[in-house]
Amino acid sequence: MKRILVLTAALLGFSLAQSLVVEVRGSLEAVEARTLRALREAGLEPDRVLNLGEQVRQVTGPGFPDYRLVVLKPEAGSVEAASKNPMAAIVLPPTVFITGEGGRYTVGTLDGRLLFGMLGVYGGAVERLVWRLEAALGRLGPVRQVAPAMMPDPRSGMMPALLYRVPGAKLEDVVLMVETELTSAGLNLLPNVRVGPVTVIMPCKSEWARVMFLTQPAGGFAAPCRFFAMPMGEDVLVGAIEPMLMTIMPGVMGSPAVTMLQEARQVMLGILEAVGGVPHRLGP
């Protein structure tokens, strides 16, 4: 399986974006209703809507804008992507974010052409998933790309996911241990969800969300942050999104978000190690 950064930017083109956004006017409730309707009309089914803005304000105080997260139900594209490369689980099932204030809102989601292309899973049902996401936003208005401020250095060896292997473990035991460790670390949890062979765990920490999304609201395509686990022979592969991947987004590098992402990375690594994981690299 190819490393994310070995697939050259020249093949993908620098015009590809990390996320897609559209500006919508109206009340938050009206924009949310329009977004849910647009998703269904594009063939995508919302699973739940998270009031992240209110959750963050309750923990960190005022000053954080409205922020809703629409988590989609897994469908054929999500299942195909996770089945081909479990690292795709860092953004699955897809999330659509709604953020703003004063009757002006940004609705956005993942542009899967970039990440799914890098992971070698773009095409077929995965491609159709990306089309449907873009089509849903297109029903709300002109879609704009949020391109990375920089492309990762292929020589850095950075992967999109932190990967560990738990020897001789059972999937359900590892999932329970990860969830227990996340709760102990002060993260809120959604019920886990199966996406093909992968169990996806979605935690959120209000302090991290406040720093990240005040810096770059479009980072919501990767929220809540994803942990995942799947059987791998007699072992279990367990992983999480690589927080430092977000530093390639506009406005993040050089901001307070970098310190927060470094903190998040240490917490995530500690959790993966606490469940008995040893570092693992998918290959070749």
Side-chain angles (χ1 to χ4, degrees):
M1 195 172 293
K2 295 182 178 179
R3 300 192 318 186
I4 181 173
L5 303 177
V6 171
L7 187 64
T8 66
L11 289 175
L12 290 173
F14 281 90
S15 64
L16 294 182
Q18 202 167 28
S19 53
L20 303 170
V21 299
V22 59
E23 305 303 319
V24 186
R25 292 181 179 271
S27 68
L28 176 60
E29 292 72 20
V31 173
E32 180 184 315
R34 288 183 59 190
T35 300
L36 295 176
R37 184 167 60 250
L39 288 165
R40 292 189 176 102
E41 290 172 349
L44 298 168
E45 187 61 32
D47 182 49
R48 68 197 82 179
V49 180
L50 309 177
N51 191 345
L52 181 62
E54 182 60 27
Q55 175 185 316
V56 171
R57 287 190 293 268
Q58 287 181 359
V59 174
T60 67
F64 190 77
D66 291 324
Y67 209 111
R68 300 279 171 91
L69 291 171
V70 182
V71 182
L72 300 179
K73 289 184 179 179
E75 45 67 72
S78 294
V79 171
E80 183 175 297
S83 299
K84 288 181 176 179
N85 188 335
M87 286 193 289
I90 64 171
V91 290
L92 298 174
T95 301
V96 177
F97 62 89
I98 305 168
T99 184
E101 52 194 352
R104 299 177 59 134
Y105 291 91
T106 298
V107 182
T109 191
L110 165 79
D111 185 349
R113 293 175 183 84
L114 180 60
L115 181 62
F116 292 148
M118 286 178 166
L119 292 174
V121 302
Y122 191 69
V126 180
E127 185 174 16
R128 290 190 289 275
L129 167 60
V130 173
W131 290 348
R132 290 188 177 104
L133 287 167
E134 186 170 3
L137 294 193
R139 292 175 180 270
L140 303 174
V143 178
R144 178 173 60 88
Q145 293 181 320
V146 178
M150 60 180 177
M151 292 298 292
D153 182 356
R155 296 167 298 180
S156 71
M158 182 190 288
M159 302 285 284
L162 307 170
L163 291 178
Y164 279 65
R165 176 176 51 84
V166 184
K170 293 181 179 180
L171 177 64
E172 57 270 23
D173 293 339
V174 172
V175 170
L176 180 58
M177 287 190 293
V178 169
E179 292 180 334
T180 299
E181 292 292 335
L182 286 166
T183 301
S184 297
L187 279 79
N188 298 320
L189 285 176
L190 297 182
N192 63 66
V193 60
R194 286 294 297 271
V195 183
V198 180
T199 299
V200 178
I201 303 163
M202 292 178 278
C204 178
K205 190 174 182 68
S206 296
E207 294 87 344
W208 296 349
R210 180 182 179 89
V211 175
M212 182 66 216
F213 299 138
L214 285 178
T215 303
Q216 178 48 265
F221 74 83
C225 69
R226 311 300 206 281
F227 278 68
F228 59 92
M230 66 170 285
M232 191 178 66
E234 296 182 355
D235 304 334
V236 172
L237 179 70
V238 62
I241 188 171
E242 166 59 84
M244 303 311 293
L245 192 64
M246 305 305 290
T247 61
I248 70 174
M249 296 200 74
V252 175
M253 187 58 77
S255 77
V258 174
T259 300
M260 179 278 296
L261 292 169
Q262 291 170 336
E263 174 194 337
R265 190 176 196 274
Q266 289 306 309
V267 171
M268 292 177 179
L269 288 172
I271 289 169
L272 296 173
E273 292 170 357
V275 301
V278 293
H280 181 78
R281 182 174 288 271
L282 297 175

